Amino acid sequence: MYPPRRCPKLEETNRSKRQRFLNKFTPYGFLSPYLIIYGVFGIFPVFFMVYLSFHMWNPVEGLGSMEFVGFENYVLGLTDPTLWQTMWNTLVMAVLSGVPQHLVALPMAYLLVMLGSRARHWFTTAYFLPYITSTVAVSMIFYVMYSKDSGIINAVLAQLADGSLTSWLFGGLKDVLPLGWVQENSLIRYSVSFVVWWKYVGFNIVIYTAGLATINPDLYEAATIDGANSWQRFTRVSLPLLKPFIFFGVTLTIIGNMNLFDEPYVLTVGGQFAQTAGKTISNYLYQIAWEWLDMGSAAAISWILFVVIGIFTGLYFWFFGRQGLGDE
């Protein structure tokens, strides 16, 4: 028998096909570890949570104990007065901590930029340190400072109330000291909000400092020549050009503050203190899921929270999105 004849053109065609196949799918091969991990820990939990929200399930009893209940979990969540109370607490603390973040961060960033590069870098780093510090560690430190019997805040206020030079201003506190900063419902929201503000104001300072650094110095020089003072340069030059950065920072604040969990949880010792005013909806969600082991209701409430955050974010986009993105 004669050996089969080689076909150079066919071999070249096959090689080109293999090469095209490798060129097309090799990048996905390198990305496959990330895609698999993201699919398992990112995408699958979302769809599973949707499925779970329509079931009643105690995880201790295994997957076989799942019972389909339809929209019952959503109905129970929407008619639960505790859910709306925790939602109101979350909104109040989101406003009390979020608004001051930007009211302080904007002028502070402007002052840092005016100080020059060396001072700006040092102060920006100092203000940013609380943001990168562990939230639990920060909350524990403030919990000790807020202590009713041995906290430094009550100790300082007691000294001011007894001082000869400050008693005229703080003397009225003698009747109410020591204050239960994280025990009394009338104070817990302000105490938690201050911790959140202190931790995240530095992050916004960095955002606005970066935004101010992109502004052409010639604009400030031109405004100065036209007779503008520092306040006018800030309001007429800096603020209009910072709209995209303000829009970005406020959007992150809305989303982050509506998910408050660590600070109120640690400061109230897992919700033991100030049950009425100190519990956010994320704390309530955690309690339903991991203390009451009702995963179905917890999943439904998490989707209710998702819709609420989407509504607030959407409203913000609707009213301020065009200006914030630079589209007048």
Side-chain angles (χ1 to χ4, degrees):
M1 292 181 63
Y2 293 101
R5 294 182 178 181
R6 297 177 60 187
C7 183
K9 290 186 177 180
L10 180 60
E11 293 179 358
E12 184 178 352
T13 301
N14 292 334
R15 281 198 302 269
S16 63
K17 287 182 179 179
R18 287 195 298 269
Q19 189 62 41
R20 285 197 300 268
F21 177 84
L22 291 174
N23 291 340
K24 183 176 181 179
F25 291 100
T26 297
Y28 295 101
F30 286 110
L31 287 173
S32 60
Y34 166 77
L35 295 175
I36 293 172
I37 293 174
Y38 180 72
V40 172
F41 297 101
I43 298 177
F44 171 75
V46 174
F47 288 99
F48 181 71
M49 193 166 62
V50 174
Y51 175 81
L52 185 60
S53 66
F54 296 101
H55 292 75
M56 183 180 296
W57 180 46
N58 185 337
V60 177
E61 299 176 0
L63 290 173
S65 63
M66 276 193 182
E67 179 184 351
F68 181 78
V69 295
F71 288 94
E72 183 178 336
N73 290 329
Y74 289 94
V75 174
L76 289 175
L78 292 172
T79 55
D80 183 4
T82 304
L83 182 143
W84 295 110
Q85 177 62 48
T86 56
M87 182 72 75
W88 173 249
N89 295 340
T90 306
L91 288 173
V92 171
M93 285 188 275
V95 173
L96 289 176
S97 62
V99 174
Q101 282 181 39
H102 299 275
L103 293 180
V104 172
L106 273 168
M108 185 63 67
Y110 181 76
L111 290 175
L112 292 178
V113 171
M114 293 298 105
L115 287 175
S117 59
R118 289 188 178 181
R120 181 173 75 245
H121 295 327
W122 281 102
F123 282 107
T124 302
T125 302
Y127 287 122
F128 192 69
L129 280 176
Y131 175 75
I132 62 176
T133 304
S134 168
T135 303
V136 175
V138 169
S139 302
M140 287 297 296
I141 291 171
F142 272 95
Y143 176 77
V144 174
M145 294 173 63
Y146 282 141
S147 175
K148 189 172 184 179
D149 299 321
S150 58
I152 189 173
I153 297 178
N154 280 327
V156 170
L157 290 177
Q159 291 293 329
L160 293 174
D162 293 331
S164 58
L165 299 178
T166 56
S167 59
W168 64 275
L169 182 61
F170 297 94
L173 293 175
K174 291 182 178 181
D175 298 331
V176 295
L177 287 174
L179 294 171
W181 296 100
V182 292
Q183 291 85 15
E184 299 175 12
N185 285 318
S186 59
L187 296 175
I188 182 62
R189 291 172 179 167
Y190 303 99
S191 303
V192 174
S193 299
F194 179 81
V195 176
V196 176
W197 169 84
W198 182 85
K199 180 171 173 57
Y200 293 100
V201 67
F203 175 75
N204 291 291
I205 289 175
V206 171
I207 291 177
Y208 295 138
T209 302
L212 288 167
T214 64
I215 299 176
N216 192 338
D218 294 341
L219 296 175
Y220 293 114
E221 184 177 351
T224 303
I225 294 174
D226 290 337
N229 55 33
S230 298
W231 175 252
Q232 291 171 330
R233 291 195 297 271
F234 174 67
T235 56
R236 303 297 177 86
V237 178
S238 300
L239 282 182
L241 295 175
L242 280 177
K243 284 182 179 179
F245 296 90
I246 297 174
F247 181 76
F248 173 74
V250 173
T251 302
L252 291 183
T253 299
I254 293 174
I255 297 173
N257 284 5
M258 289 299 296
N259 285 286
L260 281 181
F261 176 82
D262 294 344
E263 292 88 353
Y265 186 82
V266 175
L267 289 172
T268 61
V269 192
Q272 296 180 29
F273 301 149
Q275 291 280 348
T276 303
K279 184 183 295 183
T280 65
I281 188 170
S282 294
N283 298 142
Y284 186 48
L285 174 64
Y286 174 85
Q287 184 179 34
I288 292 174
W290 298 108
E291 293 183 16
W292 302 344
L293 297 177
D294 187 356
M295 292 295 176
S297 297
I301 292 176
S302 67
W303 282 111
I304 293 173
L305 176 60
F306 172 79
V307 172
V308 171
I309 294 175
I311 291 173
F312 280 105
T313 307
L315 290 173
Y316 180 68
F317 268 73
W318 177 265
F319 287 108
F320 303 103
R322 291 178 57 123
Q323 289 117 359
L325 295 175
D327 183 9
E328 298 294 344

